[in-house]
Amino acid sequence: MITIGTRIHACCKNIFTLDKLPSLIMARSKKAGRRGKQKGNRDRDDRDNGDKRENKHTDYPATKKTNAQYEQYYKEQGIIKEAEWEAFLESMKQPLPTTFRITGFRGEAQEMLKIIKNEYITKLVSNDACPVHSLPWYPNELGWQIDLSRREIRHQQDLQTLKEFLLNETESGNISRQEAVSMIPPLVLDVKPHHKILDMCAAPGSKTAQLIELLHADGENVPEGYVIANDVDNKRCYLMVHQVKRLQSPCCAIVNHDATTLPNIRIGDGIKDFVQYDRVLCDVPCSGDGTLRKNVDIWNKWNTNIGPNLHKIQMKILKRGLELLAVGGRLVYSTCSLNPVENEAVIASMMEKCKGCIELIDVSSELPNLKYNNGLSSWKIFSKKMEHITTLEEARSKGYSHFEASMFPPDNAKDFNLESCIRVLPHQQNTGGFFIVAIQKTATLPWMRPVQPVQEVKKEENVDLEQKNGAGDQSKEESVPVEAVVKEQANKDETKETTDIKTTGKRQGDALAEPPPTKHKKMHGYKEDPFLFLDANDPLWDPIQKFYGIRPDFPIEQVMYRAETGHKRTIYFVSSQLRNIVRRNTDRIRFINLGLRIFGRSPSPLVPDCEYRISQEGLTVLGTECITRCVQLSREDMVTFMTYDNPFFDKMSTKAREDLKQFSIGCILMSYKPEAGETKPSCSITVCGWRGKSSLRTFLSKNLRAHYLRLFGVELEEILKVLAKKEKATNRETDDTSQDSAVETEENANKTETVKNADSNESSGAEKMDTNEGT
């Protein structure tokens, strides 16, 4: 009876629970809902509501390309004529076209130009698929523009070949993708191979790369000049390293400092032996309101306070750039802003401070066919509420503390020749907005102590000088050099300086280009490895020199490594000027990267004599002129060498096989020089590779292989497709042969088994007959 009652109670309990099951499920669902719907629930809800999404990744809402304050501000400034206003505003709302330039200092530049014009541009123009043209103001047709955005090029099937071409050549360093107006400042800087160049705000490095190209324009592998590329952002400095490395130049150093307080770079032992640059590029931080075509977020963020807030730091950077510029040198100031507060106001204020020591240069002749507007001599200042502020006193009375006196147009602005400034507007040639001005330094700046040169003085001046020093014969009538007096004064200064160094730890008189004492910004970033140089007797160099046959007069002192302990994995080469700078400024300049990689450590048991292999980028300085371990190849052999991964010697010509036998296993150079009548290519090409026991191997990346083969008139992708088809056909033949052989083997096995069975049957029958006969 107890058992039956217990079971009845349990059954009733279960029935009660089942009755409440729907409510429990609802409660469970609500709890899950509070924790947030999962993806599966969202998808189920969408299906229930009949919402069928074609794409999982929905696009963000498009940015509204309107800003009433922006339009009102620039209408008031009068930068754009009223008749052109609608065209200007409409062009600002259109996507930016794609532009690129061919690297101009390499021997392959003209070959690349032929390929672009004959094999890509002609096809596109003939099919009316894409309007393509060279930039009319860029020299030698090395700058090109495609009047389509990157997004449009990416999604059009007809342009996929062109897109792949641009990507491959950009990675190999033969093409640089850069906005058209961004190419203008380096052009008007008028760079020569012997110039010392400073790029104050260099990241991301497109203008720096262009400066390096101009430095190597004469074809010199190691020119006399160099480029110092600086940026305040440590991470952007490392991004710039990749941009600069593509150009394979030993004449560029990347440093990480605040441009407003950029330290002096020492080049000698004297207290005034600092670098004064021949050219300075001052592309300052700005509001970027000329880049609305590519940076659409600025439409929502722009207001009239952005320009005034950046004005002060722009002034500081320009002032420091002029201090570091040599007398007679040229500085180019540029922004990607159209705002006169960031442009003409900065220039006019600096002209007032310099008191005739600088002048603006008209560079219109250096930019033929470029359409632009001249600079302004008057402009207006507006508050964030679009109140017109006429004086600094009015701004202070209204509580605006961020305005400075230097922002307002001076009364004598017309005396500063501000018409020489260049303002490029988007609607003029389908570009972005930009501002450029070239400045020449004609004398030492007023706030800097001039360096007194050693010269001869006349009798009257010499008498005054002797009277001041309390000595000298006043009866002398011939001219007396002031060098002795200057030397005596220098000895006194040196004694005083020694005392100051002992007491304060700093020199008195480094005012040649020292920035004013300000609170230095703490710099963050990685701790860099040291820059160490080889000497003539370094044991590391001897096996490398013997194995590769490097000429004895190669400048070993310019060879550098960065491993203070352990194996030296990479060996670099730098120009003699940069070597001097690094050795004298390790404790005062934060170097991020410099030099050209020429060797990499890769030990092999097959090559016990040398552990280092040549780097392809190092062939800029390590070419056939200084290395004897090199084989001259014909056009066909060069194509074969770069087409196959491991071509055997029997694929090469007889002459190439004979030449290869003269060298042992190891890294080797392969060189091609065009013979008479060979026009594709018409330039010399040298690549590095590996000479094995019976085959060769190139050390080129896929992009570089495609580039060099393209110069020979061969497309790597097409070759790889042909080789893949041949390999598939060979594999099919092999499979068919193996299947046929398997069938034959099986048939033979069946025949053998049949024969064995027949033999066994015959033998068994014979045995029976023998048995019967016996019986």
Side-chain angles (χ1 to χ4, degrees):
M1 192 66 183
I2 297 175
T3 306
I4 295 174
T6 305
R7 289 180 179 177
I8 292 173
H9 178 73
C11 291
C12 294
K13 186 177 181 180
N14 291 338
I15 292 171
F16 177 77
T17 305
L18 291 173
D19 291 338
K20 291 190 175 183
L21 184 59
S23 61
L24 292 175
I25 293 174
M26 289 294 293
R28 182 74 173 177
S29 301
K30 290 179 181 179
K31 291 179 181 178
R34 295 190 195 103
R35 288 195 294 265
K37 286 190 176 182
Q38 298 178 358
K39 182 179 178 181
N41 295 334
R42 289 200 305 267
D43 294 341
R44 185 175 62 251
D45 294 341
D46 294 337
R47 287 195 299 269
D48 295 340
N49 296 329
D51 182 12
K52 296 182 180 180
R53 299 184 181 181
E54 296 180 359
N55 186 6
K56 294 181 180 179
H57 306 284
T58 56
D59 295 332
Y60 291 103
T63 302
K64 293 182 179 179
K65 297 180 180 180
T66 55
N67 189 313
Q69 194 176 85
Y70 179 88
E71 297 179 22
Q72 182 183 355
Y73 181 83
Y74 281 109
K75 277 185 178 179
E76 293 287 343
Q77 296 294 353
I79 294 175
I80 302 98
K81 297 179 181 178
E82 186 176 354
E84 300 178 3
W85 175 257
E86 292 299 329
F88 163 77
L89 199 60
E90 183 61 27
S91 65
M92 275 293 195
K93 297 178 182 181
Q94 300 301 320
L96 194 68
T98 302
T99 52
F100 62 91
R101 55 184 171 80
I102 304 171
T103 303
F105 75 95
R106 296 184 176 180
E108 303 99 13
Q110 292 303 317
E111 296 296 322
M112 288 296 302
L113 182 58
K114 292 178 185 177
I115 292 172
I116 291 173
K117 293 175 70 174
N118 299 332
E119 299 184 15
Y120 290 94
I121 305 304
T122 305
K123 295 178 182 178
L124 292 174
V125 173
S126 62
N127 297 332
D128 294 331
C130 176
V132 183
H133 57 87
S134 61
L135 297 174
W137 43 266
Y138 202 93
N140 303 322
E141 289 187 307
L142 296 180
W144 288 80
Q145 177 168 312
I146 306 172
D147 292 330
L148 289 175
S149 66
R150 292 188 178 185
R151 181 183 179 86
E152 292 171 328
I153 293 177
R154 189 163 53 245
H155 288 84
Q156 286 194 17
Q157 293 298 326
D158 297 338
L159 302 177
Q160 292 307 304
T161 305
L162 177 63
K163 185 191 76 170
E164 294 296 331
F165 167 77
L166 293 176
L167 290 176
N168 290 339
E169 294 299 338
T170 301
E171 285 299 321
S172 60
N174 297 283
I175 279 179
S176 294
R177 302 176 71 175
Q178 182 180 356
E179 189 178 349
V181 289
S182 178
M183 305 177 192
I184 300 176
L187 290 180
V188 299
L189 206 55
D190 190 27
V191 173
K192 304 297 180 185
H194 63 277
H195 282 162
K196 300 181 287 291
I197 308 167
L198 171 65
D199 192 352
M200 301 190 71
C201 308
S206 56
K207 297 183 186 66
T208 305
Q210 196 174 356
L211 292 174
I212 295 173
E213 294 176 23
L214 297 172
L215 191 69
H216 289 262
D218 290 352
E220 296 183 30
N221 291 335
V222 188
E224 184 182 350
Y226 53 84
V227 176
I228 303 294
N230 172 72
D231 200 86
V232 67
D233 193 327
N234 184 259
K235 293 181 180 179
R236 286 166 64 87
C237 284
Y238 288 102
L239 293 175
M240 187 164 49
V241 171
H242 174 72
Q243 181 77 275
V244 171
K245 273 189 173 182
R246 298 183 304 111
L247 299 177
Q248 303 172 7
S249 172
C251 305
C252 178
I254 298 174
V255 298
N256 179 209
H257 286 279
D258 185 356
T260 60
T261 57
L262 190 63
N264 296 319
I265 294 182
R266 184 174 293 280
I267 55 173
D269 297 326
I271 60 173
K272 301 180 183 68
D273 291 338
F274 297 111
V275 175
Q276 285 193 296
Y277 299 93
D278 302 299
R279 298 290 185 266
V280 174
L281 179 58
C282 197
D283 188 49
V284 298
C286 63
S287 61
D289 58 16
T291 65
L292 291 174
R293 301 185 68 176
K294 66 176 182 180
N295 298 322
V296 294
D297 292 343
I298 300 179
W299 281 104
N300 297 330
K301 298 177 181 178
W302 191 91
N303 61 72
T304 56
N305 275 352
I306 298 178
N309 289 338
L310 292 168
H311 174 86
K312 195 172 183 180
I313 190 171
Q314 291 165 345
M315 286 283 297
K316 289 181 178 180
I317 295 175
L318 177 59
K319 178 174 178 287
R320 186 57 184 153
L322 290 172
E323 290 173 350
L324 296 173
L325 183 67
V327 175
R330 181 182 293 192
L331 180 147
V332 170
Y333 176 90
S334 63
T335 70
C336 52
S337 170
L338 304 177
N339 196 340
V341 176
E342 303 176 65
N343 300 321
E344 285 92 346
V346 175
I347 302 301
S349 177
M350 192 56 62
M351 295 281 287
E352 280 189 316
K353 287 186 177 181
C354 292
K355 299 178 181 179
C357 295
I358 61 174
E359 63 182 13
L360 305 187
I361 308 173
D362 183 9
V363 293
S364 58
S365 60
E366 301 177 25
L367 297 168
N369 302 318
L370 176 67
K371 297 179 182 179
Y372 60 88
N373 286 9
N374 295 323
L376 305 175
S377 296
S378 63
W379 53 92
K380 299 178 181 179
I381 304 297
F382 291 94
S383 68
K384 195 172 183 179
K385 299 178 181 179
M386 285 303 295
E387 299 175 283
H388 183 200
I389 309 296
T390 56
T391 61
L392 181 63
E393 291 74 15
E394 180 184 353
R396 294 291 183 265
S397 64
K398 294 183 177 181
Y400 299 125
S401 59
H402 62 285
F403 289 113
E404 301 287 340
S406 57
M407 299 178 188
F408 296 86
D411 297 333
N412 59 341
K414 293 184 178 180
D415 299 336
F416 297 148
N417 191 25
L418 293 175
E419 293 78 11
S420 298
C421 301
I422 293 175
R423 180 178 275 104
V424 181
L425 299 176
H427 67 285
Q428 292 172 328
Q429 285 180 311
N430 194 13
T431 63
F434 221 77
F435 178 88
I436 311 103
V437 59
I439 305 172
Q440 185 168 1
K441 187 175 179 180
T442 58
T444 305
L445 300 179
W447 61 86
M448 296 174 62
R449 186 179 66 181
V451 179
Q452 184 176 6
V454 177
Q455 58 183 357
E456 289 189 351
V457 295
K458 295 182 179 180
K459 176 183 175 182
E460 292 82 10
E461 296 173 346
N462 188 39
V463 169
D464 296 337
L465 195 60
E466 288 174 348
Q467 288 177 352
K468 289 181 181 179
N469 289 277
D473 187 2
Q474 298 183 5
S475 62
K476 293 182 180 180
E477 295 182 359
E478 67 272 16
S479 297
V480 180
V482 76
E483 181 178 359
V485 180
V486 173
K487 184 175 182 180
E488 181 181 355
Q489 185 65 29
N491 292 334
K492 293 181 181 179
D493 294 341
E494 186 175 356
T495 305
K496 183 177 182 300
E497 180 187 349
T498 306
T499 306
D500 293 338
I501 292 174
K502 290 181 180 179
T503 56
T504 65
K506 296 182 179 180
R507 284 188 173 90
Q508 296 285 339
D510 279 3
L512 174 63
E514 280 290 351
T518 57
K519 185 177 180 181
H520 292 280
K521 181 180 178 181
K522 186 177 180 181
M523 305 298 291
H524 301 278
Y526 303 101
K527 182 180 180 182
E528 290 294 326
D529 294 328
F531 297 85
L532 308 172
F533 291 89
L534 298 181
D535 52 33
N537 300 321
D538 198 301
L540 176 69
W541 185 253
D542 188 56
I544 297 176
Q545 185 176 20
K546 289 181 179 179
F547 184 78
Y548 291 105
I550 302 175
R551 65 171 188 254
D553 61 340
F554 187 82
I556 306 172
E557 66 279 359
Q558 293 172 226
V559 178
M560 181 191 74
Y561 59 94
R562 302 193 64 180
E564 196 168 9
T565 59
H567 294 293
K568 302 170 181 62
R569 295 186 298 174
T570 307
I571 298 177
Y572 304 89
F573 181 87
V574 298
S575 64
S576 58
Q577 291 82 1
L578 285 184
R579 175 185 180 273
N580 180 37
I581 287 175
V582 172
R583 289 172 65 90
R584 295 180 182 275
N585 297 273
T586 305
D587 57 339
R588 59 190 294 132
I589 300 295
R590 184 174 187 179
F591 293 99
I592 299 297
N593 187 275
L594 71 150
L596 179 66
R597 178 181 176 181
I598 56 176
F599 290 104
R601 186 174 181 272
S602 181
S604 172
L606 300 176
V607 190
D609 298 334
C610 182
E611 295 183 343
Y612 290 86
R613 297 182 184 180
I614 301 175
S615 175
Q616 178 66 29
E617 61 188 83
L619 296 184
T620 304
V621 294
L622 288 175
T624 57
E625 295 79 8
C626 66
I627 290 183
T628 58
R629 190 176 168 84
C630 180
V631 176
Q632 295 290 333
L633 297 182
S634 64
R635 186 183 187 279
E636 292 74 16
D637 288 335
M638 201 69 171
V639 172
T640 302
F641 172 62
M642 291 187 292
T643 299
Y644 297 91
D645 291 334
N646 290 285
F648 289 97
F649 290 166
D650 56 7
K651 290 184 177 293
M652 312 296 285
S653 64
T654 305
K655 183 180 182 302
R657 290 198 298 267
E658 293 297 328
D659 293 341
L660 287 169
K661 289 180 182 178
Q662 300 177 11
F663 298 99
S664 60
I665 297 175
C667 187
I668 194 170
L669 297 186
M670 303 292 184
S671 179
Y672 163 79
K673 291 183 179 180
E675 299 179 356
E678 291 183 346
T679 59
K680 203 168 186 179
S682 58
C683 60
S684 300
I685 293 175
T686 304
V687 297
C688 61
W690 180 265
R691 191 263 193 224
K693 292 181 179 180
S694 58
S695 64
L696 300 171
R697 184 174 180 82
T698 176
F699 286 162
L700 301 176
S701 64
K702 184 179 178 180
N703 290 327
L704 270 179
R705 285 173 64 192
H707 164 70
Y708 285 122
L709 286 172
R710 193 174 287 118
L711 295 182
F712 283 99
V714 180
E715 287 293 335
L716 179 61
E717 294 296 332
E718 295 179 2
I719 293 178
L720 293 178
K721 289 179 182 179
V722 172
L723 293 177
K725 288 181 180 179
K726 288 183 179 180
E727 186 177 357
K728 287 182 179 180
T730 305
N731 293 336
R732 288 175 184 174
E733 291 177 0
T734 305
D735 294 340
D736 294 340
T737 305
S738 60
Q739 289 177 4
D740 293 340
S741 60
V743 171
E744 290 178 0
T745 304
E746 186 177 357
E747 290 178 354
N748 292 332
N750 293 334
K751 289 180 180 179
T752 304
E753 186 176 357
T754 303
V755 171
K756 287 181 179 180
N757 292 334
D759 293 340
S760 61
N761 293 334
E762 290 179 0
S763 59
S764 61
E767 289 176 0
K768 290 180 179 179
M769 289 176 62
D770 293 340
T771 305
N772 294 331
E773 289 179 358
T775 304

